[in-house]
Amino acid sequence: MRHGYAIHMYTANKSMDNCAFCNADGDFLIVPQQGRLFITTECGRLNVSPGDVAIIPQGFRFNVNLPDGPSRGYVAEVFGTHFQLPDLGPIGANGLASPRDFLAPTAWFEDKSYPGYTIVQKFGGELFTAIQDFSPFNVVAWHGNYVPYKYDLSKFCPYNTVLYDHSDPSINTVLTAPTDKPGVALLDFVIFPPRWLVAEHTFRPPYYHRNCMSEFMGLIHGNYEAKVDGFLPGGASLHNCMTPHGPDTKSYESTIARGNNVGPHKIIDTMAFMFESSLIPRISQSALESPFLDHDYYQCWIGLRSHFTVPELKTIKTKE
């Protein structure tokens, strides 16, 4: 139907030798968590480190080399649309991800014979192979703006509340794949980078909530502010549409213990992200049967208790 998305988690222990991949179904957004990816495309090469993301548009052939050895990470795939910068609205011209920080490759080519070179093509959700005797990376030059590119997440300029209340995570959108309905995303790529928290009289971690979006979270490095235990780099969580979720018990209790008069606090050494969509994902059988599935995840909320107290009501006597 050319409308939808998929989320994958990848592991790789070997470079692609004498072969290339092409996705005829949609665009890839690749988020390495461990180990660099040296990606060769028909437009040139991209060196993508953990902390960077790479976008490979639909139809491009590419090859991945592992210069640091084994690699793992996350991939979002969108169908029927492309990733773009979000509308900044009242923010204006500056902030979030700046167009100047997205890097496209310099043209690079090779004119070599490669007997038995294999092209693996994803088409209609299935994989097909074709054999040729030359490199697909024989494009001498290119022009235009339909091109693979990369972005360094440390370049992101985050926005946050400066007085009270908690901002919606969409304020940290790096890229969005929109739908035809304004304000409703097919898939948003949102990050939670190092930043200052300064809100007064506010529960600063993400609120306990449920909403119309399905939220897939991953962690590139460090810790996530709302999960003290169990959420590790390379792991992931999925909270589907209208599924209640929020900070774990330890995060909640430590926040409450600090009281209302908390000074500015900087979150450091962290890079979490979220793939957020208005569409509900269907979980693959392999994911449900994975030996790494955390069947005790719900226990992070065991022990939550209310700290609400009813203020004492004062009786005021009036004359009749």
Side-chain angles (χ1 to χ4, degrees), residues 170-293:
S170 60
I171 195 66
N172 290 318
T173 299
V174 180
L175 291 167
T176 182
T179 63
D180 294 335
K181 186 176 181 180
V184 178
L186 177 74
L187 191 77
D188 281 338
F189 175 54
V190 178
I191 64 171
F192 303 94
R195 62 201 184 281
W196 282 96
L197 301 181
V198 300
E200 301 173 331
H201 307 290
T202 297
F203 184 77
R204 290 180 176 176
Y207 289 167
Y208 293 96
H209 65 286
R210 58 183 184 270
N211 60 25
C212 63
M213 305 292 275
S214 294
E215 303 174 1
F216 176 97
M217 283 203 62
L219 184 61
I220 300 172
H221 67 81
N223 298 295
Y224 177 53
E225 60 183 298
K227 292 286 189 296
V228 174
D229 297 323
F231 193 53
L232 304 177
S237 66
L238 175 65
H239 300 110
N240 259 323
C241 171
M242 296 304 170
T243 302
H245 57 284
D248 61 16
T249 302
K250 288 184 179 179
S251 301
Y252 171 73
E253 291 293 343
S254 62
T255 301
I256 295 297
R258 295 188 192 104
N260 286 328
N261 298 317
V262 183
H265 169 68
K266 188 176 183 181
I267 299 176
I268 60 173
D269 187 28
T270 183
M271 186 59 75
F273 73 89
M274 181 165 65
F275 296 139
E276 185 176 54
S277 176
S278 60
L279 304 180
I280 300 174
R282 181 175 61 187
I283 313 302
S284 68
Q285 196 62 34
S286 61
L288 292 173
E289 296 174 354
S290 170
F292 302 106
L293 188 66

Side-chain angles (χ1 to χ4, degrees), residues 69-97:
S71 176
R72 69 183 184 191
Y74 314 83
V75 180
E77 184 180 10
V78 294
F79 312 120
T81 187
H82 302 292
F83 288 104
Q84 63 185 50
L85 290 172
D87 183 0
L88 295 186
I91 293 176
N94 304 308
L96 307 189

